[in-house]
Amino acid sequence: MKKKKYNYRSMLIISTLLMCIYFIWRIFFTLPWQYGIVAMGCAIILLICELLSAVEAFIHMISSVNPVIPPKPVIPDDMYPDVDIFIATHNESAAILYKTINGCKHMRYPDKSKVHIWIADDGYRQEMKELAEKMQIGWLGLENNKLAKAGNLNNALSKTSAPLVATFDADMIPTRNFLLETVPYFLLPQMILENGKWRKRREEELNPEDKIGFIQTPQAFYNPDLFQYNLYAEDRIPNEQDYFFREINVSRNRTNSPIYAGSNTLISRQALSEVGGIATGTITEDFETGLHIQGKGYKCYAIDKVVAHGLAPDTIDSLIKQRERWGRGCIFSLRKMHILTNKEIPFASRISYFSCELYWWTFLRRFVFILCPILFSVFSIPVMECKPWELLVFWFPAYFLFNKVQQIESGDIRTTRWSNIIDTVLFPYLIIPIFLEAIGIKKHQFVVTRKDRVVEESSDAALALPQAILLVFSFFAMFSSLRDLIAYGAVGSVIIIYWVAVNGYSLLMAIFFMLGRRNIDVLISRGLKP
């Protein structure tokens, strides 16, 4: 994880003060009371969206002031415990599983006899049993599984006994050092760094309350993700998931709230036993399991070192369904556990998880931010009332410095512009599912994200229709604002022009993304006409 610049803390304090002044001004001096209920309704929605965006960003930035990655202890070979490796599969092909198994078999460990590799197969497929026999590993078949991935993993837990358990999705291939980079952390409570050397703690130095729940490593990918591929940017932008796994999740160590992401994770069996195994009754069993483990007082850590690689979704439809499942599952689990009032979870962790819940409202906020300048310029609905000089005094300094702090916090992994593009791609398809889940209307069936590369000749251009409509209205808004600036000298139109231009760029990039890019090499390899 990158080191912060020395002035990060000072800039954060100043930007927070400026943002507080900005919101005081916004609340008391910019609401268009005299323009009627429609204008007031739109103005209040915009103000709430601004507030929530600032709160979510502020929580992340506070967590990033002093990022915590615990030192990895150096332990003697005889302290390395037995480990069960679970490779969860539902409908993936033997070819996909073969690569993952091969990666697991080649992991380094002081005593390889202590590493037990299992295919956890909830399809009870003969080909998986034969693959396990061929690769000389264990097979745990499960018939009539009604509890999805959680039921599959719990079945595997019930038939194994190693004190540590590694969970991998079917496509996630660990590097040779996965176990060597994760197992030592579980010995932290038993080790102490003294005079530059690690030694085992004496009995009186042990703290029975100090226990490690899980170590989450990043989910990295060996194929370009859709954003990299469809926008011809494989060499110019990092994988879309890097920011979460290597920045956000690591920053959550400080509040003991890193998220268990289901794969590339090493977990304490004792912790799983105390929480009743992998959580059932939720579509994000990994996320909720992590919450339960942390609620039992276990320390959990995310590390930023990549020690496994898998397959990113390669169709827009699968990407949208994946994010809908993640969003619905997180909202459901946080609501079920009453995250803000749950006294079993420390206050700082609750606030961290509250920011996680706020994130899933990003897509509604993105729609509001795109729509508001259109409402003002095209439909003459004022969403705020102010003079141009007031924007320069109150908005510009707060906006500029806050974005500068966010840029320092995210480094080269994520920029505000790139975040806006991603959110603009996804928002039309996540607003309604997130809202429905928030009010308690569940979706009862989800399709598992396919891991096999699927190549189709159909176009996803129709998915760009919402962005295309908003882009057309943005052109009208730009034309109207330029007319007002030229014909009437309306200096305030400059702000609207800037706002519309930023949104228009994101909308245009989202349309390019939806139009897609055909993978000629894969088409040819499959005998399809390029």
Side-chain angles (χ1 to χ4, degrees):
M1 190 176 186
K2 65 185 186 317
K3 293 182 178 179
K4 306 298 180 184
K5 293 183 178 179
Y6 71 93
N7 61 345
Y8 177 77
R9 185 191 296 269
S10 299
M11 291 179 66
L12 177 58
I13 292 172
I14 296 171
S15 69
T16 301
L17 289 173
L18 290 175
M19 196 58 74
C20 288
I21 294 170
Y22 168 75
F23 279 115
I24 291 172
W25 171 70
R26 282 284 282 118
I27 292 169
F28 292 104
F29 299 101
T30 67
L31 295 180
W33 298 95
Q34 68 271 37
Y35 290 97
I37 190 170
V38 174
M40 272 302 295
C42 294
I44 290 173
I45 290 172
L46 174 61
L47 177 59
I48 291 172
C49 288
E50 287 185 77
L51 277 167
L52 293 180
S53 293
V55 168
E56 182 195 346
F58 178 74
I59 293 172
H60 289 325
M61 290 188 293
I62 285 290
S63 299
S64 299
V65 171
N66 291 310
V68 175
I69 298 182
K72 185 181 69 175
V74 177
I75 60 176
D77 289 353
D78 60 0
M79 287 187 69
Y80 279 84
D82 282 61
V83 182
D84 283 321
I85 311 291
F86 295 159
I87 304 169
T89 178
H90 175 67
N91 58 4
E92 295 83 6
S93 68
I96 291 287
L97 269 293
Y98 177 86
K99 297 176 184 178
T100 303
I101 296 167
N102 194 50
C104 290
K105 286 178 68 70
H106 284 87
M107 288 190 292
R108 295 190 179 100
Y109 209 64
D111 183 352
K112 293 292 288 288
S113 68
K114 291 183 176 181
V115 179
H116 317 285
I117 305 170
W118 305 88
I119 295 178
D121 174 26
D122 77 350
Y124 205 87
R125 292 173 290 167
Q126 185 63 27
E127 65 173 331
M128 290 296 107
K129 184 177 181 181
E130 292 173 357
L131 178 63
E133 292 173 353
K134 176 182 176 182
M135 301 292 287
Q136 297 181 330
I137 65 169
W139 174 72
L140 300 169
L142 179 62
E143 289 185 289
N144 304 317
N145 179 25
K146 297 181 180 179
L147 296 175
K149 186 177 179 181
N152 188 20
L153 291 177
N154 284 333
N155 175 65
L157 284 168
S158 71
K159 297 177 179 178
T160 55
S161 59
L164 295 181
V165 173
T167 55
F168 289 102
D169 287 344
D171 64 306
M172 279 290 176
I173 305 172
T175 66
R176 291 170 64 85
N177 287 332
F178 177 86
L179 293 176
L180 297 182
E181 293 292 343
T182 54
V183 170
Y185 288 109
F186 286 85
L187 281 299
L188 263 174
Q190 302 176 39
M191 304 295 293
I192 188 170
L193 186 61
E194 191 173 75
N195 298 322
K197 293 185 178 181
W198 289 94
R199 69 165 176 83
K200 193 172 181 180
R201 292 179 185 269
R202 293 181 287 272
E203 187 173 349
E204 63 272 15
E205 295 176 314
L206 295 173
N207 179 3
E209 300 299 318
D210 193 5
K211 47 191 180 180
I212 307 298
F214 65 79
I215 301 296
Q216 177 66 57
T217 74
Q219 290 191 11
F221 305 94
Y222 52 81
N223 64 316
D225 71 17
L226 278 170
F227 295 97
Q228 293 172 313
Y229 189 78
N230 282 7
L231 297 176
Y232 296 84
E234 294 97 324
D235 299 324
R236 292 187 290 110
I237 58 175
N239 185 279
E240 182 246 344
Q241 286 293 297
D242 272 3
Y243 180 53
F244 172 75
F245 281 105
R246 301 181 68 185
E247 292 290 338
I248 297 296
N249 213 29
V250 173
S251 74
R252 297 170 69 93
N253 289 343
R254 194 174 175 210
T255 54
N256 195 34
S257 58
I259 290 171
Y260 168 35
S263 185
N264 309 359
T265 319
L266 194 62
I267 316 176
S268 160
R269 183 180 292 268
Q270 179 183 339
L272 287 170
S273 178
E274 285 191 35
V275 299
I278 303 294
T280 58
T282 173
I283 53 177
T284 48
E285 68 294 320
D286 39 22
F287 176 80
E288 188 168 318
T289 301
L291 265 169
H292 290 309
I293 289 173
Q294 290 155 4
K296 290 292 185 181
Y298 283 85
K299 291 182 181 178
C300 302
Y301 295 104
I303 61 175
D304 62 349
K305 188 165 187 177
V306 174
V307 285
H309 299 81
L311 282 168
D314 58 3
T315 67
I316 296 174
D317 183 59
S318 65
L319 175 69
I320 291 171
K321 288 177 180 177
Q322 179 195 65
R323 300 310 159 87
E324 180 185 347
R325 179 170 59 84
W326 289 357
R328 277 184 173 269
C330 288
I331 295 292
F332 171 80
S333 294
L334 292 172
R335 187 181 71 245
K336 183 177 79 172
M337 296 187 68
H338 306 288
I339 194 62
L340 281 177
T341 58
N342 190 332
K343 298 299 176 60
E344 291 185 357
I345 300 174
F347 178 75
S349 299
R350 282 183 269 159
I351 295 300
S352 182
Y353 275 108
F354 175 63
S355 73
C356 178
E357 186 169 8
L358 287 180
Y359 165 76
W360 291 105
W361 292 98
T362 295
F363 306 101
L364 176 59
R365 300 198 301 264
R366 180 97 292 266
F367 177 57
V368 170
F369 293 149
I370 291 173
L371 191 61
C372 280
I374 295 173
L375 292 177
F376 181 81
S377 297
V378 179
F379 298 98
S380 301
I381 299 174
V383 292
M384 64 184 293
E385 185 182 19
C386 66
K387 296 179 175 59
W389 68 266
E390 291 177 305
L391 285 172
L392 290 175
V393 170
F394 294 105
W395 169 76
F396 181 75
Y399 174 84
F400 176 80
L401 193 56
F402 203 70
N403 275 275
K404 188 66 177 176
V405 174
Q406 284 185 294
Q407 182 181 345
I408 295 172
E409 185 270 331
S410 59
D412 297 327
I413 296 182
R414 182 68 63 88
T415 64
T416 300
R417 182 179 65 176
W418 185 233
S419 293
N420 288 343
I421 292 171
I422 293 172
D423 296 342
T424 303
V425 167
L426 295 172
F427 83 83
Y429 305 99
L430 293 181
I431 291 175
I432 292 176
I434 296 302
F435 175 76
L436 292 177
E437 193 66 49
I439 62 175
I441 300 177
K442 296 176 61 177
K443 184 174 182 178
H444 295 287
Q445 186 174 5
F446 275 86
V447 177
V448 176
T449 305
R450 288 197 64 170
K451 304 299 182 182
D452 301 78
R453 190 162 183 83
V454 179
V455 180
E456 298 175 349
E457 294 193 86
S458 59
S459 172
D460 292 304
L463 292 172
L465 184 60
Q467 291 93 341
I469 292 172
L470 287 169
L471 184 61
V472 170
F473 277 106
S474 294
F475 281 132
F476 282 118
M478 179 69 76
F479 173 80
S480 177
S481 298
L482 287 170
R483 181 197 61 199
D484 291 346
L485 178 63
I486 296 169
Y488 308 111
V491 181
S493 297
V494 173
I495 302 297
I496 300 299
I497 291 169
Y498 171 76
W499 195 353
V500 171
V502 170
N503 289 338
Y505 174 79
S506 297
L507 288 166
L508 192 60
M509 293 299 287
I511 292 170
F512 285 150
F513 174 86
M514 293 300 191
L515 292 176
R517 171 185 173 193
R518 304 179 80 200
N519 192 322
I520 303 300
D521 292 336
V522 176
L523 284 169
I524 292 173
S525 70
R526 298 209 173 188
L528 298 175
K529 184 184 294 185

